[in-house]
Amino acid sequence: MATAPAPELLTDHRGNPKPRVESSLTYAQARLGTAFHEAGHAVLAMSYGFPVVSSEVIAWTIENDGWGLTGNTVTAPSEVHAWRYAAMCAAGALANVRYLMIHGLWTPEQAAACAAVHDREQAIDTLTAHGFPLCLDHVPAGGKSWGQVQGMAARKVGHLWREIRTVAHAMNENTKLTGEQIAAMTGLTNAPMTGGAA
């Protein structure tokens, strides 16, 4: 394992530190869970038409015998509909929880640790800034609640579970996958980058 990742990978879109969550999972179990989280983002992004640049698990050593885990999925700007963007943000936590359930690791505490509040807050802030009201605890006029977005994402995660599982296991083994690698292993199409990006 490496040393701690770049500081920007440990902060949310507002620049605040992501919360540190203690886990009773082993390193291997937590790493695979993180891979499922990132695979959820990447597969839904690709299925919705977002160009996916890469998706990865990032692990590092803390003190003598501890470890830290995070992940990063990079997509390129696109004209994908707002609610699909929000569902893509929600998909990581849902894929991680589903992984826990399938592997007999689910507990209320482990499920709570998968919440990924930073993904939810990024979706709310981004959509609200673009005129799409998204609220945590109610359905705003002309918008959606986070629960509605989670419902959209849960259906899509269920439909694409084979692809998410394939990507998660490959990511766990290889650490980082490019969008083209994800497209090749899932049969999904990775939308071309716009504006000349490589």
Side-chain angles (χ1 to χ4, degrees):
M1 279 187 274
T3 56
E8 61 269 16
L9 294 174
L10 299 177
T11 58
D12 64 18
H13 68 289
R14 297 172 182 161
N16 298 320
K18 292 179 185 174
R20 185 173 169 166
V21 179
E22 297 296 325
S23 175
S24 61
L25 299 177
T26 67
Y27 169 74
Q29 291 167 336
R31 179 183 169 92
L32 186 54
T34 301
F36 269 93
H37 179 109
E38 296 306 321
H41 287 319
V43 169
L44 259 70
M46 194 172 287
S47 73
Y48 282 144
F50 284 94
V52 176
V53 178
S54 63
S55 192
E56 66 182 312
V57 173
I58 302 165
W60 65 96
T61 303
I62 298 175
E63 297 172 358
N64 294 330
D65 59 351
W67 44 268
L69 281 167
T70 191
N72 191 37
T73 297
V74 179
T75 61
S78 69
E79 298 298 320
V80 174
H81 191 276
W83 305 121
R84 290 183 170 188
Y85 169 79
M88 182 270 295
C89 290
L94 295 171
N96 197 347
V97 168
R98 186 168 175 150
Y99 151 75
L100 293 173
M101 293 175 76
I102 289 170
H103 289 85
L105 301 170
W106 188 94
T107 65
E109 295 76 21
Q110 290 300 340
C114 296
V117 171
H118 63 283
D119 288 335
R120 183 190 73 209
E121 295 303 309
Q122 182 170 348
I124 290 171
D125 288 353
T126 301
L127 267 62
T128 300
H130 287 89
F132 295 91
L134 176 59
C135 293
L136 177 60
D137 56 0
H138 69 281
V139 180
K144 292 193 183 299
S145 70
W146 184 245
Q148 289 174 311
V149 165
Q150 287 180 307
M152 288 173 53
R155 286 187 296 276
K156 197 75 166 171
V157 165
H159 178 69
L160 293 168
W161 187 248
R162 181 187 63 82
E163 290 83 356
I164 291 169
R165 186 182 63 234
T166 298
V167 171
H169 284 286
M171 191 184 311
N172 190 46
E173 185 175 325
N174 298 292
T175 302
K176 185 173 185 175
L177 300 173
T178 66
E180 293 312 310
Q181 289 172 318
I182 292 168
M185 67 182 64
T186 61
L188 296 170
T189 300
N190 195 19
M193 306 288 176
T194 58

